[in-house]
Amino acid sequence: MKLPGMVDVHVHLRVPGGEHKEDFRTGSAAALAGGITTVLAMPNTFPPIVTIDQLSVAQETANRQSLCDVFMYAGASAEHLNELPRLGEQAPALKLYMDQTYGPLKTNGLENLLRVFESWPKNKVICIHAEQESIAAALGLLNAAPRPIHFCHVSRKAEIELIAAAKRQGLPVTCEVTPHHLFLTEQDATRLGRLGDMRPTLAEQRDVDALWEHINTTIDCIATDHAPHTLQEKQGENPPPGVPGLESSLPLMLTAASQGRLSYERLVEMMHFTPRRIFSLPAQPETWVEIDPDSRYEFPDHPLYTKCGWTPFAGLAMQGRIRQVVLRGKTVVKDGVVLSDVNQD
Ligand code: DOR
Ligand code: ZN
Ligand code: ZN
Ligand code: ZN
């Protein structure tokens, strides 16, 4: 079965400042191994990407070192609100943190939030880390400053229902859900211990059920929130939240499709067409993923290409294997091996 190149609008590639966890080369290799040919990389780096100079440097580094197409987000910071219009000329989208998570970015205060909503170009989305009540707050801001917004990693029943209601009212709202919130619950979090901690945390079965009930309607995109941290960090003193996902995302969604939980067409809509449309991403000519929908296997406990080297999906029964990935006419993955090379610096 031939699918288009998958798009992941939410990954953390850790450049600059976290290159021991991941870098553009290893992260983009993991993407390709997972059938993903375009990724959007988050700005919660060290330092965070909140100025035009930082964005330019990060994007140029990404262009030089990546094996797939990588687009850098700009980050919203109260100290650099003036830069937003210029950042908005370069970045495909803005990331706004309304809740505390890994890294230094969080925007507090109603005035700052309003400024962000007003300053970012109206033809580009603001992607928001908003959990629980913060989703209602973001929707409330749309009254004063109508503009397209996109909710990251929606994970709770009440959240997806609030977003469904907002869509029914015609508000310019889209959202993404991660594979880990679709396939794991808080019971898995207990089983996985520190490896099972991420933001938002894993939820109850009723939340997971609610997400699946909205899979054909409210959910626009599947995005991994690929958040690599080393095993040592995860098992150490102050374990950072986050799990890797680039190499498991398409296999998991193919598994769900093989079980009839969604159609292959719907999978392609959420992992290719809709993300491309929401973020106005360029088409990739002669790019496709050849999959074998019947092949069964166990997901390995060490994914090959992410630098972090572990996965919360170790040992999971999968159906649907990536046979080949072709990017712009060139075979870049063959039977699980990334063949591609770039001029590294
Ligand atoms: O679990 C998470 N990890 N959630 C986030 O929002 C950030 C991410 C990270 O950067 O590690
Ligand atoms: Zn987030
Ligand atoms: Zn994230
Ligand atoms: Zn092992």
Side-chain angles (χ1 to χ4, degrees):
M1 189 187 294
K2 208 168 164 178
L3 308 179
M6 299 294 128
V7 177
D8 188 345
V9 300
H10 190 150
V11 305
H12 299 267
L13 299 186
R14 306 303 190 201
V15 184
E19 290 87 350
H20 64 289
K21 302 168 191 275
E22 197 78 285
D23 59 40
F24 287 124
R25 188 178 174 79
T26 56
S28 63
L32 287 179
I36 295 163
T37 55
T38 302
V39 300
L40 272 60
M42 285 295 171
N44 63 331
T45 48
F46 293 87
I49 295 167
V50 294
T51 68
I52 195 76
D53 292 341
Q54 289 166 330
L55 179 66
S56 303
V57 170
Q59 185 63 59
E60 280 161 22
T61 311
N63 294 347
R64 266 201 320 277
Q65 299 180 345
S66 303
L67 303 172
C68 70
D69 289 1
V70 175
F71 297 99
M72 293 302 306
Y73 275 90
S77 114
E79 291 77 40
H80 298 277
L81 291 172
N82 293 338
E83 304 236 7
L84 287 178
R86 283 213 295 151
L87 287 166
E89 291 168 16
Q90 274 201 32
L94 179 73
K95 179 63 180 284
L96 169 63
Y97 289 90
M98 290 180 68
D99 293 298
Q100 192 59 56
T101 180
Y102 180 71
L105 285 176
K106 180 174 184 294
T107 303
N108 293 314
L110 187 54
E111 264 190 60
N112 287 330
L113 292 169
L114 254 182
R115 281 275 307 278
V116 171
F117 269 48
E118 288 166 351
S119 313
W120 190 249
K122 299 276 186 298
N123 62 341
K124 291 187 176 182
V125 281
I126 299 177
C127 296
I128 310 181
H129 182 124
E131 300 185 36
Q132 307 271 0
E133 296 94 323
S134 298
I135 295 200
L139 291 173
L141 286 164
L142 288 182
N143 290 316
R147 53 150 313 106
I149 60 173
H150 175 86
F151 287 110
C152 299
H153 44 51
V154 177
S155 68
R156 296 312 195 260
K157 182 175 195 286
E159 295 175 353
I160 197 71
E161 287 174 355
L162 209 61
I163 293 167
K167 287 183 165 203
R168 281 196 297 274
Q169 290 162 17
L171 293 175
V173 171
T174 55
C175 72
E176 72 193 29
V177 167
T178 71
H180 52 266
H181 291 117
L182 285 170
F183 287 87
L184 302 174
T185 65
E186 56 185 13
Q187 283 189 324
D188 296 294
T190 308
R191 172 178 60 84
L192 290 162
R194 292 168 158 202
L195 296 186
D197 182 36
M198 76 291 284
R199 299 292 172 276
T201 56
L202 294 174
E204 294 177 29
Q205 188 61 49
R206 63 192 282 274
D207 297 303
V208 175
D209 292 343
L211 295 180
W212 280 105
E213 278 164 27
H214 288 263
I215 199 83
N216 288 318
T217 51
T218 313
I219 299 171
D220 296 283
C221 314
I222 302 297
T224 59
D225 198 5
H226 177 79
H229 298 287
T230 66
L231 263 182
Q232 200 185 2
E233 290 167 330
K234 292 293 280 187
Q235 290 165 343
E237 270 297 290
N238 286 309
V243 294
L246 280 167
E247 288 163 87
S248 44
S249 179
L250 180 57
L252 285 166
M253 296 312 292
L254 289 173
T255 301
S258 80
Q259 296 163 345
R261 304 181 82 185
L262 79 166
S263 68
Y264 291 96
E265 290 72 21
R266 181 67 188 143
L267 181 157
V268 170
E269 243 170 65
M270 290 189 293
M271 298 183 78
H272 174 82
F273 288 108
T274 308
R276 258 185 60 196
R277 179 168 43 82
I278 294 172
F279 293 83
S280 303
L281 300 173
Q284 296 173 309
E286 286 185 81
T287 297
W288 69 86
V289 180
E290 177 71 35
I291 60 130
D292 175 356
D294 301 317
S295 174
R296 292 169 187 260
Y297 59 102
E298 236 180 50
F299 200 72
D301 58 359
H302 305 282
L304 283 176
Y305 290 99
T306 176
K307 205 179 270 187
C308 78
W310 61 276
T311 169
F313 302 109
L316 221 75
M318 301 279 186
Q319 180 172 344
R321 198 189 283 273
I322 298 157
R323 286 286 179 217
Q324 192 185 0
V325 180
V326 175
L327 176 58
R328 296 194 179 86
K330 190 173 160 221
T331 299
V332 288
V333 179
K334 186 85 182 159
D335 293 322
V337 179
V338 176
L339 308 170
S340 176
D341 225 320
V342 284
N343 43 330
Q344 254 192 304
D345 54 23

